[in-house]
Amino acid sequence: MEKRWSVSTSFCKIEEMRKALDDFLKEIGNATEISYDCSQNLRLILTELSVNAILHGKGEVSVIAAECFDGLLHILVSHEESDSFDPKQYYDAPPPLASQNGRGIFLAKNLSENLVYNVRANKVLACVKTR
C-alpha cells in the first residue's frame, strides 16, 4: 500500500539529537505500520547517520522521512557542509578495530535496503524496511 506523508526534525548538537529522534520515531510510528525490529534498525541507522552529520558536518542537521512505498521508508539526513570523503570505503567491510571512523556507515549500510550519499557527502538517503 502506498502512503504519502512526511515528518521532519532538526538539531545541531548530540545532546539535542536523542529527544529529536525519539519524537521523530513516534511520528513515524503514527504515520505507518512499522514492526518493532524495523523500528529498532531505523533508530540505529538514524543515530549513526545523525552523529556522523554532527561530528563531520557543519550547521544544522535535518532529518526527513517520507513516502512509504512497498514497505520501504525513505529517510534523508542532511547538513550544510562536510569534509569530502568516500563513504563507499565503509560499505562492505567494517573498519579496523583501532579506527575511530566508519562503523556507523557500515552499520547503516547493512541495516538498510539501500544507502546512497550525494557527491559532496552532506546528504545521505537510506531506504529502510517497515516490516
Side-chain angles (χ1 to χ4, degrees), residues 1-18:
M1 178 205 270
E2 182 179 310
K3 295 181 183 180
R4 290 190 178 265
W5 51 270
S6 68
V7 294
S8 63
T9 190
S10 60
F11 41 86
C12 294
K13 299 176 182 175
I14 290 177
E15 297 80 28
E16 301 168 344
M17 182 188 75
R18 178 169 295 209

Side-chain angles (χ1 to χ4, degrees), residues 7-44:
V7 294
S8 63
T9 190
S10 60
F11 41 86
C12 294
K13 299 176 182 175
I14 290 177
E15 297 80 28
E16 301 168 344
M17 182 188 75
R18 178 169 295 209
K19 178 164 179 12
L21 291 182
D22 283 346
D23 293 344
F24 184 75
L25 288 165
K26 285 177 190 171
E27 287 187 58
I28 289 173
N30 292 335
T32 188
E33 296 174 13
I34 188 167
S35 73
Y36 177 78
D37 288 345
C38 291
S39 71
Q40 295 305 302
N41 286 345
L42 178 58
R43 178 179 295 280
L44 183 56

Side-chain angles (χ1 to χ4, degrees), residues 9-12 49-50 53-54 58-63 77-80:
T9 190
S10 60
F11 41 86
C12 294
L49 296 178
S50 297
I54 291 169
K58 296 175 179 78
E60 185 175 77
V61 176
S62 297
V63 183
V77 177
S78 64
H79 52 90
E80 294 172 19

